[in-house]
Amino acid sequence: MKFWEEKGKGNGRRCTGSAHGAALLENPESHLRWYFKYFLGTAHQNYYGKTTDKDIFILSIVKSEEDYRAILWAKSGLQRIYLPKSHKPRTPHSICQEFGDIDVARAPKEIKQADIQKDLLYIEEQEGAINFKFGVLYRKEGQSTDDEILCNNDISPAFQRFLDLIGEKVALRGFEEYRGGLDVKGDTTGTHSYRTIMEGKHIMFHVANLLPFTKDNPQQVERKRHIGNDIVNIVFQEDYDDFDPTCFKSQMSHIYALVTYQHDTDSYLLRVYNEESVPRYGPDISPEYLDLDHFRRVLLVKLMNGEKAVYATPQFVARRERTVQQLLKEIYNRYVSRNEDFDHLRPIADKIMDTTPRIGRKKRIRKAAKFQAKGQDLKVQKIISGHAPTSKTCTSYTLQRKFEHYSAWNYERIVRDFQQKIVCADFWDTYIILGTESGLSLINTSLLDDSAIAEIYDHNMFVPKQISVIEEKSVVVVRAEKGKHKTGYVYIFDLAALTMKSHCTKNFKRKTKQERLQGTKGCTNLCTHVARQSGDLHMAVVKHKTIQLYEWNRIATQGQGWFRWKRDFQVCDVQYLCMFNRPSGLKICAGTSTEFLIIDTEAPEDDKNKCVERLQTHKENTSICITPVIKEDRNNWALGVLLTYNNISVSEQFTLTLHPDNMFSLIIKWNVKPVHIHSSLPYFIAIGQQGIEIRMASNGNVVHSIDVASVSYLACRCQLIYLSTYDPVTCLSEILSLPTSVSLYSSSSTISSAGLGLSNDSFDEDDEVIISCFNHYFVA
């Protein structure tokens, strides 16, 4: 085996803030075990079918009053998708097409037997480990072979202190919780071991020194039987010494975490060796840790994420595909092949039933009740046995350590019970500039009375569709629609003057014509960009088949507004666009109905091939989104761009020069259909219509998800994402704030009493922003 080494950067004591990325469990079962969480025990439908390659698949669908959730069970693994209700009723066939990469050979049919729930639950459990077992070895100075290391029996005071740090010692005889393959009846695998619980996951440590020792066997086969079959092993040593992971002869062990105790500084050094096929995983590590609680959490979460990453290697993927394929065949033979003509199989064109009970025939109601009761029994059994993926209970008081559980990405409500649907908004100081169907309004969050909300322009003047506050130039850019034909215009308002207006008058109405940017009639989209180093302001406006580029006119003149037209780019059917800086200049990335394009604003106008280049094509009639991935430094250059269509995102890496043949290095299949994706390294935050999903930028793994009904993106300011929700029943809206990152020690992102301030006292200004995990894919 060949290994790649992961070393840390920076100081372990200071690597505790969100800028460095907290130690978060990736792909947590509480967010990904959908069948257990949303399907089991509720009324749902399961369909079977075959692809054009004659592979069997199963489609599970659950419908509620607000949305649909679907799981596709296929040989390649489980895919999940969250779909809001549409004006046109969804059918299982249309939902099956949402997954995109499956070709159905024949019309799937429904399986109505209740016992299938147990089989599907078992397949879901094959996706990854709910509990973990890690090997722990003590290595003395100069030992270079696995036989020498496995023959160690004594436990030094430093090693004992390390064991007490990561877990608690338990007697194996009669132990009733997760045992990790150890004997709890006859003491054949030793009398004691160490275990712990982290993020609700039971961890059993196979401590080599506590496993049976055979004097006449230098290879210590009994110890190798456990240590050699552990995917992840910890190697502990005192003071620094070189280590070669190839000294262990094991086909199962893919990760070795080398922990070195430093006596002079009373600290721990950490290096991780990964087999060459193991993909990258978080969290980032530091070379030295002085804070023991922080070190414990980073180490355990790193090892748990590492074991999950090993399951994505070709060796384990092939095994899982064979297992899932065999299980799907067994389901087909048990419920389908012998009952092709029976009544319990229905065509896919039938309607999807609600989870709420409906009036119908008594026989059908009894069958549905029996189906749900079977699922509820299975769910209760899993919860009682402690194997529920959504459980985070801890039975031992000594295991309730600091950082064991903490809440990530809690959102706060800034505005409650706003009596209109919010279309767009942006934020400035303590003000919120709101666009609704009734016009443009201003909210002063520092006031608590009725005067906090003031209407500036009503809908008779225009209806705002986009708002962008440019604090550097003290202006507000508004794209609005006017008249019965909803003609689009761009307006430029002075920020200070706008906050002083509280009534709609004829003078204001006349002035809107003066503040209207000429040449933008009929615009459908816009974006703005301010260069961090130079302060240059540019704006791109989509109008018909053209993208108009404007630059800030330093000598402001009346009539033309404060922007000066620079040049046009001929691009048809632009639905989404954004701007970002590269070393070669300002770039525009545009998404059309069929492709993504990159536009070089500095290219000669007569060279169209260099001016507009194609990045990627996608399917027609899809929802698209473009997210520039920005490196937070003095230049603010983009490392790459995330191109999204439907629920699939692909990453485009930027080198010093752009070329249309650049390779895609990351593919993410979101569980929600993103309307907007925000890049906040090391995370991608996707906002869909019915929820929020947060993934690691380094590998696309899920770290958190939030169910929020009817949510839409507004803006991002001061490391806070602002969202709005709307209740169609009460016709009330709310504005929420969500931090772009999570702090390990405390919630550092808070809303101040003044309104929109951000307290972030736990970080030093000189702290280096570590984005090494993302640079594995995006190299500036």
Side-chain angles (χ1 to χ4, degrees):
M1 283 188 177
K2 295 182 179 180
F3 291 82
W4 58 273
E5 181 182 356
E6 182 178 358
K7 294 181 179 180
K9 299 178 181 180
N11 187 289
R13 179 189 290 273
R14 299 171 64 191
C15 186
T16 58
S18 60
H20 305 284
L24 300 177
L25 186 64
E26 298 176 7
N27 291 335
E29 284 73 17
S30 58
H31 295 285
L32 292 183
R33 296 293 173 89
W34 274 26
Y35 195 76
F36 179 89
K37 190 174 181 180
Y38 299 109
F39 290 72
L40 205 61
T42 63
H44 65 277
Q45 292 169 277
N46 301 299
Y47 295 88
Y48 85 94
K50 290 185 177 180
T51 65
T52 53
D53 297 330
K54 296 184 179 180
D55 290 328
I56 299 171
F57 71 88
I58 291 177
L59 178 68
S60 299
I61 304 172
V62 62
K63 176 185 176 183
S64 66
E65 295 181 356
E66 299 294 335
D67 51 48
Y68 299 83
R69 291 183 188 268
I71 303 176
L72 180 66
W73 315 76
K75 180 181 72 172
S76 58
L78 274 65
Q79 296 185 46
R80 309 160 189 85
I81 195 167
Y82 183 95
L83 299 170
K85 276 193 174 180
S86 61
H87 299 292
K88 184 179 179 181
R90 296 185 185 272
T91 63
H93 181 64
S94 66
I95 291 178
C96 195
Q97 292 178 330
E98 293 285 350
F99 290 97
D101 55 354
I102 180 172
D103 296 323
V104 181
R106 52 181 295 186
K109 297 181 180 180
E110 183 185 359
I111 302 175
K112 298 180 66 177
Q113 280 108 322
D115 291 339
I116 193 177
Q117 298 176 93
K118 184 176 181 180
D119 298 314
L120 295 179
L121 184 62
Y122 180 75
I123 295 178
E124 187 178 57
E125 292 174 349
Q126 304 307 306
E127 283 292 289
I130 294 180
N131 298 314
F132 300 85
K133 55 186 180 72
F134 302 142
V136 182
L137 301 107
Y138 178 56
R139 176 173 178 256
K140 296 181 180 180
E141 184 178 359
Q143 292 183 336
S144 59
T145 65
D146 55 351
D147 292 343
E148 292 175 339
I149 297 173
L150 289 172
C151 285
N152 293 328
N153 283 324
D154 55 323
I155 298 179
S156 68
F159 187 38
Q160 183 64 59
R161 183 185 178 192
F162 172 73
L163 292 175
D164 294 335
L165 174 67
I166 63 175
E168 67 169 354
K169 192 173 185 179
V170 294
L172 290 177
R173 184 181 289 272
F175 187 69
E176 297 181 350
E177 297 184 25
Y178 177 68
R179 58 189 181 92
L182 300 179
D183 181 17
V184 295
K185 295 181 179 179
D187 291 339
T188 60
T189 57
T191 59
H192 292 80
S193 187
Y194 281 80
R195 53 84 64 141
T196 190
I197 297 178
M198 174 64 71
E199 290 290 336
K201 311 302 178 187
H202 293 251
I203 301 175
M204 177 61 74
F205 297 102
H206 293 162
V207 183
N209 304 54
L210 300 180
L211 292 172
F213 175 75
T214 307
K215 293 183 179 180
D216 300 331
N217 188 352
Q219 295 186 351
Q220 299 301 322
V221 176
E222 184 62 26
R223 291 182 174 181
K224 280 187 178 180
R225 184 168 68 89
H226 294 281
I227 301 295
N229 284 314
D230 289 332
I231 295 176
V232 179
N233 286 299
I234 303 172
V235 180
F236 179 87
Q237 62 184 18
E238 298 181 49
D239 296 319
Y240 185 80
D241 193 10
D242 291 335
F243 173 71
D244 183 9
T246 59
C247 69
F248 292 96
K249 312 302 180 185
S250 171
Q251 297 299 319
M252 285 294 294
S253 298
H254 283 62
I255 297 176
Y256 293 93
L258 181 64
V259 177
T260 305
Y261 178 69
Q262 297 287 92
H263 286 272
D264 54 345
T265 59
D266 190 24
S267 62
Y268 289 96
L269 307 183
L270 178 61
R271 286 182 291 170
V272 181
Y273 297 85
N274 304 272
E275 195 269 334
E276 59 181 350
S277 64
V278 177
R280 290 189 67 89
Y281 55 94
D284 284 344
I285 62 174
S286 294
E288 185 176 8
Y289 291 88
L290 302 174
D291 189 316
L292 300 186
D293 287 318
H294 177 48
F295 168 68
R296 175 180 182 272
R297 178 174 179 86
V298 170
L299 175 64
L300 296 182
V301 173
K302 184 72 175 179
L303 299 185
M304 289 192 290
N305 289 340
E307 181 165 325
K308 292 184 177 185
V310 171
Y311 293 141
T313 59
Q315 175 185 349
F316 284 86
V317 167
R319 291 182 182 181
R320 186 177 68 247
E321 287 185 354
R322 290 194 298 267
T323 301
V324 173
Q325 187 177 25
Q326 183 61 35
L327 293 173
L328 291 174
K329 285 182 179 180
E330 292 178 1
I331 291 177
Y332 178 83
N333 294 332
R334 186 178 301 120
Y335 301 109
V336 178
S337 61
R338 300 177 183 178
N339 303 285
E340 287 282 5
D341 300 325
F342 278 56
D343 180 61
H344 68 276
L345 299 173
R346 300 193 305 181
I348 197 168
D350 284 2
K351 294 182 179 180
I352 303 171
M353 58 186 177
D354 295 314
T355 55
T356 53
R358 307 179 71 179
I359 299 175
R361 294 181 179 179
K362 293 183 179 180
K363 184 177 180 181
R364 184 178 300 176
I365 294 176
R366 286 197 300 268
K367 285 186 176 181
K370 182 180 178 181
F371 186 92
Q372 295 184 52
K374 178 69 174 180
Q376 291 169 358
D377 289 342
L378 290 171
K379 203 167 193 175
V380 170
Q381 291 174 16
K382 288 293 180 182
I383 294 173
I384 293 176
S385 64
H387 294 116
T390 55
S391 174
K392 286 193 176 183
T393 59
C394 184
T395 57
S396 174
Y397 177 78
T398 59
L399 296 177
Q400 294 286 4
R401 296 176 179 266
K402 193 179 181 182
F403 320 124
E404 193 80 76
H405 307 298
Y406 64 94
S407 184
W409 285 288
N410 288 328
Y411 61 82
E412 297 187 26
R413 290 177 172 83
I414 299 176
V415 177
R416 298 173 181 263
D417 301 334
F418 189 75
Q419 296 182 353
Q420 297 180 50
K421 185 177 181 179
I422 299 172
V423 178
C424 54
D426 208 343
F427 302 80
W428 171 62
D429 195 21
T430 61
Y431 294 97
I432 304 176
I433 303 175
L434 284 179
T436 68
E437 294 295 335
S438 300
L440 196 66
S441 300
L442 187 71
I443 297 179
N444 189 344
T445 57
S446 62
L447 302 177
L448 301 178
D449 53 14
D450 295 338
S451 63
I453 301 177
E455 187 180 55
I456 304 175
Y457 297 107
D458 63 19
H459 66 281
N460 294 320
M461 298 181 183
F462 56 71
V463 177
K465 295 300 179 181
Q466 285 180 267
I467 299 174
S468 179
V469 174
I470 315 296
E471 294 189 49
E472 293 84 352
K473 308 300 180 183
S474 298
V475 296
V476 181
V477 179
V478 178
R479 182 181 70 85
E481 294 179 352
K482 182 177 176 63
K484 63 179 181 179
H485 298 295
K486 297 183 178 180
T487 305
Y489 294 93
V490 174
Y491 297 88
I492 312 298
F493 298 104
D494 180 75
L495 189 59
L498 189 68
T499 56
M500 297 174 61
K501 299 177 182 180
S502 58
H503 301 284
C504 294
T505 67
K506 294 182 179 180
N507 292 332
F508 290 162
K509 186 173 182 178
R510 284 197 299 268
K511 194 170 183 180
T512 57
K513 295 182 179 179
Q514 299 175 359
E515 293 167 332
R516 185 187 302 169
L517 185 60
Q518 295 184 5
T520 60
K521 181 179 179 181
C523 63
T524 56
N525 206 335
L526 68 80
C527 68
T528 59
H529 179 268
V530 180
R532 171 171 290 187
Q533 196 168 12
S534 64
D536 294 339
L537 170 61
H538 290 85
M539 178 174 65
V541 178
V542 178
K543 178 183 175 183
H544 304 308
K545 298 180 180 180
T546 304
I547 296 179
Q548 299 175 334
L549 180 63
Y550 293 85
E551 64 180 356
W552 179 255
N553 189 1
R554 297 182 183 275
I555 304 175
T557 58
Q558 296 182 353
Q560 292 293 332
W562 293 324
F563 280 94
R564 179 174 62 85
W565 174 86
K566 185 176 181 180
R567 62 184 297 186
D568 289 344
F569 304 95
Q570 300 301 317
V571 182
C572 297
D573 193 24
V574 176
Q575 300 180 7
Y576 201 102
L577 79 163
C578 67
M579 291 191 292
F580 48 84
N581 267 341
R582 289 291 298 154
S584 56
L586 182 68
K587 312 295 180 184
I588 301 175
C589 191
T592 70
S593 59
T594 58
E595 60 186 357
F596 294 101
L597 304 171
I598 192 77
I599 300 172
D600 187 355
T601 62
E602 305 297 331
E605 295 188 23
D606 56 349
D607 193 345
K608 294 183 179 180
N609 293 329
K610 289 186 178 180
C611 187
V612 180
E613 297 180 357
R614 177 183 296 172
L615 285 180
Q616 169 75 329
T617 59
H618 59 83
K619 294 183 178 180
E620 296 185 10
N621 302 321
T622 57
S623 59
I624 61 175
C625 176
I626 305 171
T627 306
V629 182
I630 307 297
K631 181 178 181 180
E632 294 291 341
D633 58 10
R634 62 187 183 90
N635 294 313
N636 240 26
W637 287 342
L639 300 174
V641 64
L642 195 69
L643 309 176
T644 304
Y645 57 94
N646 283 344
N647 66 319
I648 300 175
S649 292
V650 291
S651 62
E652 174 70 27
Q653 174 182 338
F654 288 166
T655 55
L656 292 179
T657 58
L658 287 174
H659 192 275
D661 295 330
N662 282 351
M663 297 298 293
F664 294 104
S665 55
L666 179 65
I667 298 178
I668 300 176
K669 292 185 178 180
W670 300 92
N671 297 329
V672 298
K673 268 194 172 183
V675 178
H676 178 86
I677 298 177
H678 179 77
S679 171
S680 178
L681 296 181
Y683 310 112
F684 287 145
I685 303 175
I687 295 97
Q689 294 183 8
Q690 298 293 326
I692 302 168
E693 193 172 344
I694 303 167
R695 292 180 179 248
M696 295 295 298
S698 59
N699 50 28
N701 288 340
V702 176
V703 292
H704 197 67
S705 62
I706 307 172
D707 293 336
V708 186
S710 302
V711 64
S712 59
Y713 173 82
L714 296 178
C716 181
R717 298 282 179 181
C718 301
Q719 299 182 18
L720 291 173
I721 295 177
Y722 293 96
L723 313 165
S724 68
T725 62
Y726 178 71
D727 188 345
V729 178
T730 61
C731 297
L732 296 177
S733 298
E734 292 183 333
I735 297 180
L736 314 175
S737 68
L738 182 74
T740 58
S741 57
V742 59
S743 174
L744 180 64
Y745 286 105
S746 62
S747 178
S748 60
S749 297
T750 56
I751 302 297
S752 68
S753 59
L756 305 178
L758 178 70
S759 64
N760 206 359
D761 300 330
S762 59
F763 309 124
D764 296 331
E765 293 181 358
D766 297 332
D767 281 354
E768 177 188 2
V769 178
I770 297 177
I771 55 173
S772 59
C773 63
F774 192 77
N775 282 334
H776 177 71
Y777 294 100
F778 294 93
V779 182

